[in-house]
Structures are given as C-alpha cells and as structure tokens.
Amino acid sequence: MIKVFILKFRSSNSLVFVLALFLFAIGLVTLKSIESGQTSSIYSQSFYKQLIFMIPALIGLLTAFLIPRHTIHRYIYGLYGVILIFVLIPYMGREIANTYRWVDIGLPIGFQPSEFAKWIVVIALARYLSDHNLQMNYFSANILPIIIALFPAFIILIQPDLGTAIIIMVPVLPMLYWAGARPFHLFLFIAPLISILTAFHWISFTIWAMLMMFIIYKAKPSIIFGITTFFSNVFLGLLSPVLWGMLKDYQQKRILTLFNPELDPLGAAYQIIQSKTAIGAGGLLGKGWGQGTQTHLKFLPVQESDFIVSVIGEELGFVAIFVIVTIFTIFILKIIRSAYNVDDRFSSLTMIGIASIFTAHVFVNFAMTVGMIPVKGLPLPFVSYGGSFLLSSFIMVGLIMNLSIDPKDY
C-alpha cells in the first residue's frame, strides 16, 4: 500500500503540494508576527489555530489524492446535491457578522459550506462538459453549465457573500472554452455585464457599442439574432441606474470609494486606505518582522485573513510580495500545464476550473489590498487565516495531484 502511494505521488504533479506548503509557511510566519507581544491564550491565537487546521487539511488532501478518479466522476452529482443543502443550513442558525455563512458544529470555530461549494461545482461542471463534449458547438449546451453554477452562487449571494458567489461563477467560462464552446457564445454571456459597467460613462458606452457591433458582424449570426443581441445589451445598459439603486448602501459606498477613497475615509474606504498605507510604508525590504506599525497598532483591519498581504508588504517589503506572486504564478501555470497534458477530458476540465478558482482568489485579494477593486472579503490561498478555506484549498491540491496522473499509469 505504501509503495503504491509513493509511486502515485511521484507520478503526480507534486510540485503544487510543495508550493502550497511553502505559501502556508509564509502565512504562519506572518500570523506569528501579527500576534507577537500579545498575552492572550495560545488557543485563541490565529497562529496556533492555523497549525491545528492543518491537520484536517492534510487529511482532506490525502483523501482527495487517493480516491479513485472514476469514483469522483460517478458520485459528483450526488455531492453537488448535498452541498446545495449545506449552503442553505446557515440560514437555520444564528446570524454571525451580519451574514449567514457559517454552520455551528459545537466547536469554537464554525464550518463554512460555501468554501467547499467552489470545487464541488467545478467537478460537477467537468462531468457535464466531458459527458456532452460533442454538443458544445450549440449555444443551448452552454446554458445548463451556467445554471449548475448559478444555483449555489445565488444562495451564497443572499447570505450575503458577493465575493464567494463571484468565485463560484468564475470557472464557468474558462471551462466552457476549454470544452470547445464557441468564443462568440461566451461573449454573449459576458456582454450584459460589460454593458452595465460601461453605461455610467457615455464615451465608454459608445466605444463598447461599436466594439459589440464589430464582434457580432464578425461572428455572422442570423440577422434577427444579431440585432436582438445588440439592442438588448444597449437597453440593459440604459437600465443600469435602476440596477445601481438595487445595491445596498454599503455596496454602493465600496464602489464609489474605489474611485475616490476620500469620500468616506473612516467608513467604506478605511480598509483600503490603511492597506495602501501599510504596503507603501514597507518599501522595498520592509520594516522588519514584527515591526509593522499599521499592524501592531491595529490600524490595519482583518489583517489575519483578507489583508494579510498588507502585513507582509509592511514588514517584509515589496520583495516578499514579489516572491509570493511568483510562487502563485508557477503554482497556477503548473496546474494548467497538467490540464493540457493529461489524457482525460474530465480531469483536464476539473483542473482548469480549480486553476480559475485559485487565479480569481489571488487576483482579487491582491487587487483589493492596493485599491484596484472594492473590498470583497476574499482570503489569499494557503496564506490567510481560516479553517474552512485552508481545508478546501488543500483538498483542491489533492484533486490536482490525483487527476494530473495519466489514467494509463494506474
């Protein structure tokens, strides 16, 4: 048994596991710095909790690595149904931090089902797309995959958890493209969002309308379909003020302060301002481990999870951030390379979906810490504090290692 495990490990994409461990170590060093000088019990400190979380995370990784590929493919629809139930369970419990995201399991920590919904949805999509490969040239074949992701995403959105809902939807288009869907069909799904975003500035909306006309012309759909697509997107753009009014006040503030943080420096923009201050103060090499003033004077909020990059930037400098970005780049490229090389469509699609999840998390986390996008509350994989997210991330690593092995090798 041990010999078989060693052989399977050597045949897998084991570098992703090594890189994940290295990122986890960086996270631990940062968490230890955040809590240096504190006198609270070790059981209440995120550093020691994260170490404890690593135990189930490694068990989850081993389980995902050892479970047979055909078993994953066979039972994923059932697991998808189970996770739909689990993301509904938080509504039956008490509200935590004005949201219904966690399930109380009788421990000092909660369980967040939405973290596991990310990769379960990806595997469910991979099975559907691999089983219906020959139909992907038809537009109608793209609708059901979107619905598969939309169900859990909508439930999570009203918790509310906009960031996780977006992450669940992110892998859909890359997976559809990888499965052979026509680029024009994918454009039809993206176009409404772009129409809404560009409608707030008449020049950008005009440019987008001209670009949309060109894309429709080059795709050469039927005249009726092309005209309907164009004018429906224009009409949707004109409705954007109504959609803006449907957002909650705090959501509007986050978007507005993205472009002008001084509008609400003590409210919606406070996190972004403090994060940018911390990163800027670190310079090239940082102030030194444990020497961050924004961190230790508690000016920087949510520093253990969402803004842990800001802590790293202040104490270890731009060089450390560059190293982390480089590691994540290698990590994601290795996953994509495995997806390209593996001789199994189901495995390939699953790895593309997981790569999309990690890419979205890394991009959003880094972008929000420097004020490029509104604060979404998305942690950095392996580095940020959080039990459910750490377990989910290492399960995805186990899946990558498992599915990266050529089916003929075992």
Side-chain angles (χ1 to χ4, degrees), residues 129-160:
L129 294 173
S130 60
D131 291 348
H132 299 80
N133 179 39
L134 298 178
Q135 303 175 17
M136 294 315 299
N137 284 329
Y138 299 97
F139 177 75
S140 58
N142 300 308
I143 297 177
L144 186 56
I146 292 178
I147 294 175
I148 290 173
L150 200 58
F151 269 127
F154 178 75
I155 296 171
I156 293 167
L157 177 64
I158 59 178
Q159 288 181 344

PDB file of all heavy atoms in Angstrom, residues 129-160:
ATOM      1  N   LEU A 129     -19.627  18.670 -18.815  1.00  0.00           N
ATOM      2  CA  LEU A 129     -18.972  19.080 -20.056  1.00  0.00           C
ATOM      3  C   LEU A 129     -18.225  17.925 -20.719  1.00  0.00           C
ATOM      4  O   LEU A 129     -18.195  17.825 -21.950  1.00  0.00           O
ATOM      5  CB  LEU A 129     -18.004  20.235 -19.774  1.00  0.00           C
ATOM      6  CG  LEU A 129     -18.657  21.548 -19.330  1.00  0.00           C
ATOM      7  CD1 LEU A 129     -17.596  22.560 -18.925  1.00  0.00           C
ATOM      8  CD2 LEU A 129     -19.536  22.108 -20.438  1.00  0.00           C
ATOM      9  N   SER A 130     -17.629  17.047 -19.934  1.00  0.00           N
ATOM     10  CA  SER A 130     -16.923  15.903 -20.523  1.00  0.00           C
ATOM     11  C   SER A 130     -17.894  14.870 -21.074  1.00  0.00           C
ATOM     12  O   SER A 130     -17.580  14.175 -22.051  1.00  0.00           O
ATOM     13  CB  SER A 130     -16.015  15.248 -19.475  1.00  0.00           C
ATOM     14  OG  SER A 130     -16.760  14.793 -18.363  1.00  0.00           O
ATOM     15  N   ASP A 131     -19.085  14.787 -20.487  1.00  0.00           N
ATOM     16  CA  ASP A 131     -20.088  13.834 -20.972  1.00  0.00           C
ATOM     17  C   ASP A 131     -20.844  14.346 -22.186  1.00  0.00           C
ATOM     18  O   ASP A 131     -21.482  13.569 -22.897  1.00  0.00           O
ATOM     19  CB  ASP A 131     -21.103  13.508 -19.861  1.00  0.00           C
ATOM     20  CG  ASP A 131     -20.491  12.696 -18.733  1.00  0.00           C
ATOM     21  OD1 ASP A 131     -19.359  12.197 -18.920  1.00  0.00           O
ATOM     22  OD2 ASP A 131     -21.129  12.571 -17.681  1.00  0.00           O
ATOM     23  N   HIS A 132     -20.811  15.679 -22.434  1.00  0.00           N
ATOM     24  CA  HIS A 132     -21.557  16.275 -23.541  1.00  0.00           C
ATOM     25  C   HIS A 132     -20.618  17.035 -24.472  1.00  0.00           C
ATOM     26  O   HIS A 132     -20.978  18.084 -25.007  1.00  0.00           O
ATOM     27  CB  HIS A 132     -22.644  17.212 -23.020  1.00  0.00           C
ATOM     28  CG  HIS A 132     -23.670  16.537 -22.167  1.00  0.00           C
ATOM     29  ND1 HIS A 132     -23.452  16.246 -20.833  1.00  0.00           N
ATOM     30  CD2 HIS A 132     -24.913  16.076 -22.468  1.00  0.00           C
ATOM     31  CE1 HIS A 132     -24.532  15.644 -20.348  1.00  0.00           C
ATOM     32  NE2 HIS A 132     -25.425  15.520 -21.304  1.00  0.00           N
ATOM     33  N   ASN A 133     -19.462  16.489 -24.684  1.00  0.00           N
ATOM     34  CA  ASN A 133     -18.424  17.186 -25.444  1.00  0.00           C
ATOM     35  C   ASN A 133     -18.861  17.543 -26.860  1.00  0.00           C
ATOM     36  O   ASN A 133     -18.612  18.647 -27.351  1.00  0.00           O
ATOM     37  CB  ASN A 133     -17.166  16.311 -25.483  1.00  0.00           C
ATOM     38  CG  ASN A 133     -16.037  16.938 -26.277  1.00  0.00           C
ATOM     39  OD1 ASN A 133     -15.838  18.144 -26.200  1.00  0.00           O
ATOM     40  ND2 ASN A 133     -15.329  16.136 -27.037  1.00  0.00           N
ATOM     41  N   LEU A 134     -19.534  16.629 -27.539  1.00  0.00           N
ATOM     42  CA  LEU A 134     -19.872  16.820 -28.955  1.00  0.00           C
ATOM     43  C   LEU A 134     -20.971  17.858 -29.162  1.00  0.00           C
ATOM     44  O   LEU A 134     -21.227  18.261 -30.297  1.00  0.00           O
ATOM     45  CB  LEU A 134     -20.293  15.487 -29.574  1.00  0.00           C
ATOM     46  CG  LEU A 134     -19.207  14.386 -29.581  1.00  0.00           C
ATOM     47  CD1 LEU A 134     -19.766  13.104 -30.181  1.00  0.00           C
ATOM     48  CD2 LEU A 134     -17.981  14.852 -30.352  1.00  0.00           C
ATOM     49  N   GLN A 135     -21.630  18.274 -28.095  1.00  0.00           N
ATOM     50  CA  GLN A 135     -22.743  19.209 -28.228  1.00  0.00           C
ATOM     51  C   GLN A 135     -22.339  20.654 -27.967  1.00  0.00           C
ATOM     52  O   GLN A 135     -23.181  21.555 -28.057  1.00  0.00           O
ATOM     53  CB  GLN A 135     -23.855  18.813 -27.255  1.00  0.00           C
ATOM     54  CG  GLN A 135     -24.359  17.392 -27.424  1.00  0.00           C
ATOM     55  CD  GLN A 135     -25.368  17.020 -26.351  1.00  0.00           C
ATOM     56  OE1 GLN A 135     -25.925  17.877 -25.673  1.00  0.00           O
ATOM     57  NE2 GLN A 135     -25.599  15.727 -26.185  1.00  0.00           N
ATOM     58  N   MET A 136     -21.078  20.915 -27.666  1.00  0.00           N
ATOM     59  CA  MET A 136     -20.677  22.232 -27.189  1.00  0.00           C
ATOM     60  C   MET A 136     -20.696  23.304 -28.265  1.00  0.00           C
ATOM     61  O   MET A 136     -20.580  24.493 -27.961  1.00  0.00           O
ATOM     62  CB  MET A 136     -19.288  22.158 -26.557  1.00  0.00           C
ATOM     63  CG  MET A 136     -19.223  21.329 -25.281  1.00  0.00           C
ATOM     64  SD  MET A 136     -20.557  21.660 -24.114  1.00  0.00           S
ATOM     65  CE  MET A 136     -20.294  23.390 -23.750  1.00  0.00           C
ATOM     66  N   ASN A 137     -20.844  22.942 -29.527  1.00  0.00           N
ATOM     67  CA  ASN A 137     -20.935  23.944 -30.586  1.00  0.00           C
ATOM     68  C   ASN A 137     -22.288  24.637 -30.605  1.00  0.00           C
ATOM     69  O   ASN A 137     -22.460  25.647 -31.287  1.00  0.00           O
ATOM     70  CB  ASN A 137     -20.668  23.311 -31.956  1.00  0.00           C
ATOM     71  CG  ASN A 137     -19.186  23.045 -32.176  1.00  0.00           C
ATOM     72  OD1 ASN A 137     -18.339  23.777 -31.665  1.00  0.00           O
ATOM     73  ND2 ASN A 137     -18.876  21.989 -32.899  1.00  0.00           N
ATOM     74  N   TYR A 138     -23.268  24.091 -29.900  1.00  0.00           N
ATOM     75  CA  TYR A 138     -24.601  24.675 -29.850  1.00  0.00           C
ATOM     76  C   TYR A 138     -24.717  25.607 -28.649  1.00  0.00           C
ATOM     77  O   TYR A 138     -24.280  25.279 -27.545  1.00  0.00           O
ATOM     78  CB  TYR A 138     -25.675  23.582 -29.773  1.00  0.00           C
ATOM     79  CG  TYR A 138     -25.663  22.653 -30.962  1.00  0.00           C
ATOM     80  CD1 TYR A 138     -25.004  21.426 -30.904  1.00  0.00           C
ATOM     81  CD2 TYR A 138     -26.298  23.009 -32.154  1.00  0.00           C
ATOM     82  CE1 TYR A 138     -24.985  20.572 -31.993  1.00  0.00           C
ATOM     83  CE2 TYR A 138     -26.278  22.159 -33.250  1.00  0.00           C
ATOM     84  CZ  TYR A 138     -25.615  20.947 -33.159  1.00  0.00           C
ATOM     85  OH  TYR A 138     -25.593  20.109 -34.246  1.00  0.00           O
ATOM     86  N   PHE A 139     -25.340  26.751 -28.840  1.00  0.00           N
ATOM     87  CA  PHE A 139     -25.464  27.738 -27.773  1.00  0.00           C
ATOM     88  C   PHE A 139     -26.242  27.183 -26.582  1.00  0.00           C
ATOM     89  O   PHE A 139     -25.907  27.446 -25.424  1.00  0.00           O
ATOM     90  CB  PHE A 139     -26.163  28.994 -28.307  1.00  0.00           C
ATOM     91  CG  PHE A 139     -26.385  30.039 -27.252  1.00  0.00           C
ATOM     92  CD1 PHE A 139     -25.339  30.816 -26.783  1.00  0.00           C
ATOM     93  CD2 PHE A 139     -27.654  30.238 -26.717  1.00  0.00           C
ATOM     94  CE1 PHE A 139     -25.540  31.770 -25.803  1.00  0.00           C
ATOM     95  CE2 PHE A 139     -27.867  31.195 -25.736  1.00  0.00           C
ATOM     96  CZ  PHE A 139     -26.804  31.962 -25.280  1.00  0.00           C
ATOM     97  N   SER A 140     -27.272  26.399 -26.862  1.00  0.00           N
ATOM     98  CA  SER A 140     -28.105  25.855 -25.789  1.00  0.00           C
ATOM     99  C   SER A 140     -27.318  24.955 -24.839  1.00  0.00           C
ATOM    100  O   SER A 140     -27.672  24.819 -23.661  1.00  0.00           O
ATOM    101  CB  SER A 140     -29.286  25.069 -26.377  1.00  0.00           C
ATOM    102  OG  SER A 140     -28.812  24.026 -27.221  1.00  0.00           O
ATOM    103  N   ALA A 141     -26.239  24.340 -25.336  1.00  0.00           N
ATOM    104  CA  ALA A 141     -25.427  23.453 -24.485  1.00  0.00           C
ATOM    105  C   ALA A 141     -24.662  24.227 -23.421  1.00  0.00           C
ATOM    106  O   ALA A 141     -24.197  23.641 -22.446  1.00  0.00           O
ATOM    107  CB  ALA A 141     -24.454  22.651 -25.347  1.00  0.00           C
ATOM    108  N   ASN A 142     -24.535  25.549 -23.601  1.00  0.00           N
ATOM    109  CA  ASN A 142     -23.813  26.368 -22.630  1.00  0.00           C
ATOM    110  C   ASN A 142     -24.692  26.841 -21.473  1.00  0.00           C
ATOM    111  O   ASN A 142     -24.176  27.360 -20.478  1.00  0.00           O
ATOM    112  CB  ASN A 142     -23.221  27.600 -23.325  1.00  0.00           C
ATOM    113  CG  ASN A 142     -22.254  27.231 -24.424  1.00  0.00           C
ATOM    114  OD1 ASN A 142     -21.341  26.459 -24.195  1.00  0.00           O
ATOM    115  ND2 ASN A 142     -22.448  27.783 -25.612  1.00  0.00           N
ATOM    116  N   ILE A 143     -25.983  26.668 -21.618  1.00  0.00           N
ATOM    117  CA  ILE A 143     -26.904  27.225 -20.623  1.00  0.00           C
ATOM    118  C   ILE A 143     -26.914  26.406 -19.341  1.00  0.00           C
ATOM    119  O   ILE A 143     -26.822  26.955 -18.231  1.00  0.00           O
ATOM    120  CB  ILE A 143     -28.321  27.341 -21.214  1.00  0.00           C
ATOM    121  CG1 ILE A 143     -28.310  28.322 -22.394  1.00  0.00           C
ATOM    122  CG2 ILE A 143     -29.308  27.800 -20.143  1.00  0.00           C
ATOM    123  CD1 ILE A 143     -29.645  28.447 -23.097  1.00  0.00           C
ATOM    124  N   LEU A 144     -27.025  25.086 -19.450  1.00  0.00           N
ATOM    125  CA  LEU A 144     -27.101  24.243 -18.258  1.00  0.00           C
ATOM    126  C   LEU A 144     -25.862  24.366 -17.375  1.00  0.00           C
ATOM    127  O   LEU A 144     -25.991  24.434 -16.133  1.00  0.00           O
ATOM    128  CB  LEU A 144     -27.352  22.790 -18.645  1.00  0.00           C
ATOM    129  CG  LEU A 144     -27.588  21.828 -17.467  1.00  0.00           C
ATOM    130  CD1 LEU A 144     -28.737  22.319 -16.596  1.00  0.00           C
ATOM    131  CD2 LEU A 144     -27.864  20.412 -17.967  1.00  0.00           C
ATOM    132  N   PRO A 145     -24.635  24.381 -17.921  1.00  0.00           N
ATOM    133  CA  PRO A 145     -23.466  24.587 -17.050  1.00  0.00           C
ATOM    134  C   PRO A 145     -23.547  25.871 -16.228  1.00  0.00           C
ATOM    135  O   PRO A 145     -23.133  25.893 -15.054  1.00  0.00           O
ATOM    136  CB  PRO A 145     -22.295  24.625 -18.034  1.00  0.00           C
ATOM    137  CG  PRO A 145     -22.755  23.831 -19.191  1.00  0.00           C
ATOM    138  CD  PRO A 145     -24.226  24.105 -19.308  1.00  0.00           C
ATOM    139  N   ILE A 146     -24.082  26.933 -16.827  1.00  0.00           N
ATOM    140  CA  ILE A 146     -24.221  28.186 -16.093  1.00  0.00           C
ATOM    141  C   ILE A 146     -25.256  28.037 -14.985  1.00  0.00           C
ATOM    142  O   ILE A 146     -25.073  28.539 -13.865  1.00  0.00           O
ATOM    143  CB  ILE A 146     -24.603  29.324 -17.056  1.00  0.00           C
ATOM    144  CG1 ILE A 146     -23.414  29.616 -17.986  1.00  0.00           C
ATOM    145  CG2 ILE A 146     -25.013  30.579 -16.308  1.00  0.00           C
ATOM    146  CD1 ILE A 146     -23.667  30.678 -19.007  1.00  0.00           C
ATOM    147  N   ILE A 147     -26.323  27.310 -15.269  1.00  0.00           N
ATOM    148  CA  ILE A 147     -27.347  27.083 -14.245  1.00  0.00           C
ATOM    149  C   ILE A 147     -26.784  26.252 -13.092  1.00  0.00           C
ATOM    150  O   ILE A 147     -27.087  26.504 -11.919  1.00  0.00           O
ATOM    151  CB  ILE A 147     -28.575  26.384 -14.870  1.00  0.00           C
ATOM    152  CG1 ILE A 147     -29.256  27.320 -15.871  1.00  0.00           C
ATOM    153  CG2 ILE A 147     -29.562  25.956 -13.787  1.00  0.00           C
ATOM    154  CD1 ILE A 147     -30.406  26.693 -16.621  1.00  0.00           C
ATOM    155  N   ILE A 148     -25.948  25.255 -13.411  1.00  0.00           N
ATOM    156  CA  ILE A 148     -25.332  24.427 -12.370  1.00  0.00           C
ATOM    157  C   ILE A 148     -24.549  25.286 -11.383  1.00  0.00           C
ATOM    158  O   ILE A 148     -24.608  25.073 -10.159  1.00  0.00           O
ATOM    159  CB  ILE A 148     -24.407  23.367 -13.007  1.00  0.00           C
ATOM    160  CG1 ILE A 148     -25.234  22.311 -13.751  1.00  0.00           C
ATOM    161  CG2 ILE A 148     -23.532  22.687 -11.946  1.00  0.00           C
ATOM    162  CD1 ILE A 148     -24.403  21.323 -14.550  1.00  0.00           C
ATOM    163  N   ALA A 149     -23.815  26.272 -11.893  1.00  0.00           N
ATOM    164  CA  ALA A 149     -23.043  27.162 -11.019  1.00  0.00           C
ATOM    165  C   ALA A 149     -23.916  28.228 -10.380  1.00  0.00           C
ATOM    166  O   ALA A 149     -23.640  28.689  -9.266  1.00  0.00           O
ATOM    167  CB  ALA A 149     -21.909  27.812 -11.809  1.00  0.00           C
ATOM    168  N   LEU A 150     -24.983  28.610 -11.073  1.00  0.00           N
ATOM    169  CA  LEU A 150     -25.815  29.731 -10.614  1.00  0.00           C
ATOM    170  C   LEU A 150     -26.620  29.396  -9.364  1.00  0.00           C
ATOM    171  O   LEU A 150     -26.826  30.263  -8.507  1.00  0.00           O
ATOM    172  CB  LEU A 150     -26.747  30.167 -11.741  1.00  0.00           C
ATOM    173  CG  LEU A 150     -27.350  31.569 -11.650  1.00  0.00           C
ATOM    174  CD1 LEU A 150     -26.246  32.616 -11.564  1.00  0.00           C
ATOM    175  CD2 LEU A 150     -28.252  31.831 -12.838  1.00  0.00           C
ATOM    176  N   PHE A 151     -27.074  28.163  -9.227  1.00  0.00           N
ATOM    177  CA  PHE A 151     -27.881  27.778  -8.067  1.00  0.00           C
ATOM    178  C   PHE A 151     -27.150  28.038  -6.747  1.00  0.00           C
ATOM    179  O   PHE A 151     -27.639  28.801  -5.899  1.00  0.00           O
ATOM    180  CB  PHE A 151     -28.296  26.308  -8.166  1.00  0.00           C
ATOM    181  CG  PHE A 151     -29.619  26.107  -8.863  1.00  0.00           C
ATOM    182  CD1 PHE A 151     -29.730  25.233  -9.920  1.00  0.00           C
ATOM    183  CD2 PHE A 151     -30.756  26.779  -8.440  1.00  0.00           C
ATOM    184  CE1 PHE A 151     -30.936  25.054 -10.570  1.00  0.00           C
ATOM    185  CE2 PHE A 151     -31.967  26.605  -9.075  1.00  0.00           C
ATOM    186  CZ  PHE A 151     -32.067  25.737 -10.150  1.00  0.00           C
ATOM    187  N   PRO A 152     -25.991  27.407  -6.522  1.00  0.00           N
ATOM    188  CA  PRO A 152     -25.285  27.688  -5.252  1.00  0.00           C
ATOM    189  C   PRO A 152     -24.802  29.129  -5.158  1.00  0.00           C
ATOM    190  O   PRO A 152     -24.765  29.698  -4.059  1.00  0.00           O
ATOM    191  CB  PRO A 152     -24.118  26.700  -5.267  1.00  0.00           C
ATOM    192  CG  PRO A 152     -23.918  26.351  -6.698  1.00  0.00           C
ATOM    193  CD  PRO A 152     -25.268  26.415  -7.333  1.00  0.00           C
ATOM    194  N   ALA A 153     -24.418  29.724  -6.296  1.00  0.00           N
ATOM    195  CA  ALA A 153     -23.930  31.108  -6.268  1.00  0.00           C
ATOM    196  C   ALA A 153     -25.023  32.059  -5.788  1.00  0.00           C
ATOM    197  O   ALA A 153     -24.758  32.983  -5.004  1.00  0.00           O
ATOM    198  CB  ALA A 153     -23.436  31.521  -7.646  1.00  0.00           C
ATOM    199  N   PHE A 154     -26.254  31.833  -6.220  1.00  0.00           N
ATOM    200  CA  PHE A 154     -27.358  32.699  -5.809  1.00  0.00           C
ATOM    201  C   PHE A 154     -27.662  32.547  -4.322  1.00  0.00           C
ATOM    202  O   PHE A 154     -27.885  33.532  -3.612  1.00  0.00           O
ATOM    203  CB  PHE A 154     -28.610  32.380  -6.636  1.00  0.00           C
ATOM    204  CG  PHE A 154     -29.807  33.206  -6.241  1.00  0.00           C
ATOM    205  CD1 PHE A 154     -29.895  34.538  -6.619  1.00  0.00           C
ATOM    206  CD2 PHE A 154     -30.826  32.655  -5.481  1.00  0.00           C
ATOM    207  CE1 PHE A 154     -30.987  35.310  -6.247  1.00  0.00           C
ATOM    208  CE2 PHE A 154     -31.930  33.415  -5.113  1.00  0.00           C
ATOM    209  CZ  PHE A 154     -32.009  34.750  -5.490  1.00  0.00           C
ATOM    210  N   ILE A 155     -27.636  31.303  -3.838  1.00  0.00           N
ATOM    211  CA  ILE A 155     -27.880  31.065  -2.416  1.00  0.00           C
ATOM    212  C   ILE A 155     -26.820  31.773  -1.575  1.00  0.00           C
ATOM    213  O   ILE A 155     -27.124  32.404  -0.556  1.00  0.00           O
ATOM    214  CB  ILE A 155     -27.877  29.551  -2.112  1.00  0.00           C
ATOM    215  CG1 ILE A 155     -29.030  28.860  -2.840  1.00  0.00           C
ATOM    216  CG2 ILE A 155     -27.991  29.309  -0.609  1.00  0.00           C
ATOM    217  CD1 ILE A 155     -28.982  27.344  -2.762  1.00  0.00           C
ATOM    218  N   ILE A 156     -25.571  31.667  -2.009  1.00  0.00           N
ATOM    219  CA  ILE A 156     -24.464  32.284  -1.274  1.00  0.00           C
ATOM    220  C   ILE A 156     -24.524  33.809  -1.385  1.00  0.00           C
ATOM    221  O   ILE A 156     -24.185  34.529  -0.440  1.00  0.00           O
ATOM    222  CB  ILE A 156     -23.123  31.743  -1.791  1.00  0.00           C
ATOM    223  CG1 ILE A 156     -22.994  30.253  -1.427  1.00  0.00           C
ATOM    224  CG2 ILE A 156     -21.947  32.526  -1.250  1.00  0.00           C
ATOM    225  CD1 ILE A 156     -21.880  29.527  -2.138  1.00  0.00           C
ATOM    226  N   LEU A 157     -24.974  34.314  -2.517  1.00  0.00           N
ATOM    227  CA  LEU A 157     -25.065  35.762  -2.720  1.00  0.00           C
ATOM    228  C   LEU A 157     -25.991  36.419  -1.709  1.00  0.00           C
ATOM    229  O   LEU A 157     -25.706  37.514  -1.216  1.00  0.00           O
ATOM    230  CB  LEU A 157     -25.562  36.047  -4.143  1.00  0.00           C
ATOM    231  CG  LEU A 157     -25.790  37.513  -4.515  1.00  0.00           C
ATOM    232  CD1 LEU A 157     -24.476  38.281  -4.485  1.00  0.00           C
ATOM    233  CD2 LEU A 157     -26.446  37.624  -5.879  1.00  0.00           C
ATOM    234  N   ILE A 158     -27.103  35.750  -1.372  1.00  0.00           N
ATOM    235  CA  ILE A 158     -28.072  36.362  -0.465  1.00  0.00           C
ATOM    236  C   ILE A 158     -27.732  36.104   1.005  1.00  0.00           C
ATOM    237  O   ILE A 158     -28.504  36.463   1.892  1.00  0.00           O
ATOM    238  CB  ILE A 158     -29.505  35.875  -0.780  1.00  0.00           C
ATOM    239  CG1 ILE A 158     -29.623  34.349  -0.650  1.00  0.00           C
ATOM    240  CG2 ILE A 158     -29.923  36.311  -2.169  1.00  0.00           C
ATOM    241  CD1 ILE A 158     -31.029  33.818  -0.901  1.00  0.00           C
ATOM    242  N   GLN A 159     -26.563  35.488   1.299  1.00  0.00           N
ATOM    243  CA  GLN A 159     -26.185  35.249   2.699  1.00  0.00           C
ATOM    244  C   GLN A 159     -25.914  36.525   3.492  1.00  0.00           C
ATOM    245  O   GLN A 159     -26.185  36.503   4.707  1.00  0.00           O
ATOM    246  CB  GLN A 159     -24.986  34.294   2.760  1.00  0.00           C
ATOM    247  CG  GLN A 159     -25.340  32.869   2.393  1.00  0.00           C
ATOM    248  CD  GLN A 159     -24.144  31.928   2.478  1.00  0.00           C
ATOM    249  OE1 GLN A 159     -22.998  32.349   2.534  1.00  0.00           O
ATOM    250  NE2 GLN A 159     -24.417  30.642   2.493  1.00  0.00           N
ATOM    251  N   PRO A 160     -25.330  37.621   3.037  1.00  0.00           N
ATOM    252  CA  PRO A 160     -24.767  37.847   1.710  1.00  0.00           C
ATOM    253  C   PRO A 160     -23.260  37.584   1.684  1.00  0.00           C
ATOM    254  O   PRO A 160     -22.560  37.875   2.644  1.00  0.00           O
ATOM    255  CB  PRO A 160     -25.029  39.333   1.493  1.00  0.00           C
ATOM    256  CG  PRO A 160     -24.959  39.923   2.868  1.00  0.00           C
ATOM    257  CD  PRO A 160     -25.415  38.857   3.832  1.00  0.00           C
TER     258      PRO A 160
END
